[in-house]
């Protein structure tokens, strides 16, 4: 069974640009959530999608957005990039029903903002 | 709001040593508690979990007991191996908040095991 796949794995952008990251969940998983991992703040919840609807959102500015498609794949977008957006962005999928908090994580997309 | 506090790291142990990683939490509801592990170059993996007070989660020789009275979920292993070298994260999911997939993580602690 294939795991959670994130693309691209590494990318470099400059301040002011925008970036789109992609996540393909485990087959059959309908929930996708996103986390930002930095050395200073650790792992922080960005948002969660289920059946193409955002169910939950963390405390990030509106520059961070996401969406989910009918096949459960998800994308997140960061506009007007800032140096502080440099981080590892992790996507996780879950079955949701009856399983609380058991997330399956991808290897992440490492974003560097110059 | 919810929070998870882990002991400061990094931790370096010799092979076969006893491991304890402390974790305490603050939550408004009745959280489920988790330990996730991140091996070098890999994504986070669920190591073990406990969903109610006094539950003990266990996996791969690791154990943690949900202690409501001390709001703790300390991770233990009797004899660590070099292959246990990784970053360990304590996390909670507040079921009352109705957000199944929202985990609040601790800062993580790096464990290095020497042969």
């Amino acid at each position: 069974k294939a795991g959670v796949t994130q693309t691209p794995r590494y990318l470099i952008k400059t301040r002011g640009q925008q970036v789109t990251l992609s996540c393909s969940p485990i087959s059959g998983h309908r929930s996708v959530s996103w986390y930002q991992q930095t050395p200073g703040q650790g792992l922080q919840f960005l948002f969660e999608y289920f059946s193409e609807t955002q169910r939950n959102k963390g405390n990030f500015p509106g520059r961070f957005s996401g969406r989910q498609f009918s096949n459960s794949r998800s994308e997140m977008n960061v506009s007007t990039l800032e140096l502080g957006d440099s981080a590892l962005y992790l996507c996780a999928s879950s079955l949701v029903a009856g399983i609380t908090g058991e997330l399956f994580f991808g290897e992440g997309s490492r974003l560097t903002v110059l | 709001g919810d929070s998870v506090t882990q002991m400061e790291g990094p931790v370096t142990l010799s092979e076969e040593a006893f491991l304890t990683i402390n974790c305490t939490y603050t939550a408004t509801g009745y959280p489920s508690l988790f330990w996730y592990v991140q091996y070098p170059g890999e994504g986070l993996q669920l190591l073990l979990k406990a969903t109610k007070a006094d539950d003990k989660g266990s996996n791969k020789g690791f154990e943690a007991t949900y202690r409501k009275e001390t709001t703790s979920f300390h991770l233990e292993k009797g004899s660590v191996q070099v292959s246990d070298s990784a970053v360990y994260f304590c996390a909670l999911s507040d079921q009352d908040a109705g957000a199944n997939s929202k985990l609040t993580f601790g800062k993580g602690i790096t464990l290095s095991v020497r042969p």
Side-chain angles (χ1 to χ4, degrees), chain A residues 9 31 33 35 37 40-43 45 48 55-56 88 90 94 96 98-107, chain B residues 32 34 36 38 41-46 49 51 87 89 93-95 98-107:
Chain A
R9 292 290 314 279
S31 171
S33 50
Y35 289 79
Q37 186 177 18
Q41 298 298 317
L43 279 152
F45 172 77
E48 182 208 353
R55 286 184 61 207
N56 203 358
L88 180 66
L90 293 169
S94 69
V96 178
I99 300 176
T100 300
E102 189 159 7
L103 302 182
F104 296 82
F105 284 84
E107 294 180 356
Chain B
S32 293
F34 308 84
Y36 277 81
Q38 187 173 31
E42 299 184 15
L44 276 77
Q45 303 173 22
L46 178 64
K49 69 175 184 179
T51 57
V87 182
F89 295 90
S93 173
D94 193 337
Q95 296 180 58
N100 279 354
S101 293
K102 180 186 176 186
L103 290 176
T104 300
F105 285 89
K107 295 279 191 181

Side-chain angles (χ1 to χ4, degrees), chain B residues 63-80:
Chain B
E63 293 183 340
T65 301
Y66 189 141
R67 301 285 188 200
K68 191 165 183 284
E69 64 277 12
T70 54
T71 60
S72 65
F73 193 55
H74 304 324
L75 183 68
E76 296 183 337
K77 186 174 186 182
S79 176
V80 294

